[in-house]
Amino acid sequence: MLIDFFYTLRAGQLPVSVKEYLTLLEALQAGVVGPNSDDAWSLDDFYHLARTVLVKDEKHFDKFDRAFGAYFKGVEMVADFRKDIPADWLRKILERELTPEQKAAIEKMGWDELMEMLKKRLEEQKERHEGGNKWIGTGGTSPFGHGGYNPQGVRIGGAGKNKSAVKVWDQRAYKDYDDTQELGTRNIKVALRRLRKFAREGHEMELDLPDTIRSTAANAGYLDIKMVPERHNNVKVLLLMDVGGTMDEHVQRVEELFSAVKTEFKHLEFYYFHNCVYDFMWKNNRRRFAEKFPTWDIIRKYNKDYKLIFVGDATMSPYEILQPGGSVEYDNEEAGAEWLQRLIHAFPRFAWINPEPQGVWQYRQSIGIIQQIVGQRMYPLSLKGLEETMRLLSK
């Protein structure tokens, strides 16, 4: 029966291999999950086992949830009944989950009649319905849908209000892990870890457990403790962030990125600029003109082993990039393009992260200019874009 489950996962764009599928079968044969004392299987137990075995990256959790629901529950992704739902198996599970009152309500209609009615409604209904007492929709008294009330109901989609549905079909706890989604601080941290590299340095402070076990065994059981230098995160990051103007609408997301970067990288240096980099930057926006850091000093201060990351929407007048005096704040002697080229020459491992939606990039002339300057190393502020950035910088 799980062959179709495997193909459902693949259809949901999950990178599941045949080897992983066989491992799942071996786990089932070994009894990792199985019937309980009531001779009933727990769908929750199988869900967690399958996700552990088949999903290698937590960014795919949401896709797995949708594919799992499509196969075992028949809603969410393929709302049809071409595959039979194992009614006896579901009955046993529900008998353990439902209250006596809910069981009595179901008995009024009968489980078979309830599921047959749902099948028929799905075949007949051709459009969204809200309210009412028949169609699958929201806010009504139909047995099917969500947001309404029926003691004999099956909730489909959305969040339940009265908690009277026979089965909750669509709980997905990892919606924001999809790689097309914009990021929260936690997801940014997950993506940034791809760049972290550890090196042995410092004092011998860390226990080497495998070597201690081997040495103790070779020493006839006498404890022989082995120590190794403590591991430290050895990645160095130089973060240059655009601030003000059109970046105001991206403040929250850039703050989340900044917070995650500060947590993940111990060797972090950061500076601010406005629209384009010119001959100076700053660390305190309130004292931006009083406490300037010349760009030449920044280039000379940090070695080439720093990873350079620009964060900005690259949205401005092309004049601000290409012409001396183009800055909207002061009369810069050299064009911003000159300073960008000096920076990327000084730090060969570099990338630009753009919080603007990627779909509008082609309509912004300034974005196209900066993309050309940085050799197309511009990525969107999404999980997928951030992972591509980290992959590039780790080479």
Side-chain angles (χ1 to χ4, degrees), residues 29-208:
Q29 291 172 349
V32 176
V33 298
N36 55 28
S37 58
D38 298 326
D39 197 31
W41 285 69
S42 169
L43 184 60
D44 289 341
D45 289 346
F46 177 76
Y47 164 82
H48 290 292
L49 172 65
R51 196 184 73 184
T52 299
V53 173
L54 300 176
V55 182
K56 299 180 286 292
D57 193 319
E58 61 186 1
K59 74 179 183 180
H60 298 304
F61 280 174
D62 184 46
K63 292 179 181 178
F64 177 81
D65 286 352
R66 284 181 286 170
F68 191 93
Y71 182 77
F72 284 99
K73 304 171 186 178
V75 189
E76 185 72 25
M77 195 169 160
V78 283
D80 61 45
F81 281 79
R82 287 174 291 181
K83 293 182 174 66
D84 291 335
I85 295 178
D88 293 338
W89 177 58
L90 286 177
R91 276 200 202 95
K92 290 180 180 180
I93 294 176
L94 292 173
E95 286 172 359
R96 293 185 289 112
E97 294 181 352
L98 298 179
T99 66
E101 292 78 10
Q102 289 173 321
K103 292 179 183 178
I106 292 174
E107 289 173 358
K108 292 180 182 179
M109 177 179 289
W111 174 263
D112 292 334
E113 186 178 350
L114 181 66
M115 297 307 292
E116 184 62 30
M117 183 185 296
L118 173 59
K119 176 181 176 181
K120 185 177 180 180
R121 295 281 170 83
L122 282 171
E123 291 173 348
E124 294 176 358
Q125 184 169 335
K126 304 300 182 184
E127 60 186 10
R128 174 186 171 93
H129 185 74
E130 189 160 351
N133 59 8
K134 178 180 179 180
W135 294 118
I136 301 165
T138 61
T141 58
S142 165
F144 315 109
H146 74 83
Y149 177 79
N150 191 304
Q152 304 162 351
V154 175
R155 177 161 71 82
I156 301 176
K161 294 182 178 179
N162 297 296
K163 301 183 179 179
S164 60
V166 170
K167 185 66 179 175
V168 177
W169 298 95
D170 67 338
Q171 182 177 0
R172 290 156 51 196
Y174 298 95
K175 294 180 183 179
D176 60 341
Y177 285 169
D178 192 298
D179 63 11
T180 62
Q181 299 296 315
E182 296 178 357
L183 301 176
T185 302
R186 183 189 180 283
N187 288 354
I188 295 173
K189 290 180 180 180
V190 171
L192 292 177
R193 286 169 191 163
R194 295 180 179 272
L195 181 59
R196 295 196 306 179
K197 295 179 181 178
F198 290 91
R200 295 287 183 185
E201 58 184 30
H203 300 290
E204 291 190 349
M205 298 177 60
E206 189 173 77
L207 174 66
D208 189 342

Side-chain angles (χ1 to χ4, degrees), residues 214-256:
R214 285 192 296 268
S215 181
T216 300
N219 198 26
Y222 291 98
L223 183 61
D224 186 10
I225 297 177
K226 298 294 183 180
M227 304 293 291
V228 294
E230 187 179 11
R231 297 201 310 168
H232 295 279
N233 186 345
N234 205 35
V235 174
K236 300 176 182 178
V237 175
L238 178 58
L239 185 66
L240 306 183
M241 294 175 285
D242 185 5
V243 64
T246 56
M247 283 295 293
D248 286 348
E249 61 186 272
H250 305 298
V251 166
Q252 180 179 352
R253 297 170 59 210
V254 175
E255 284 179 344
E256 291 173 348

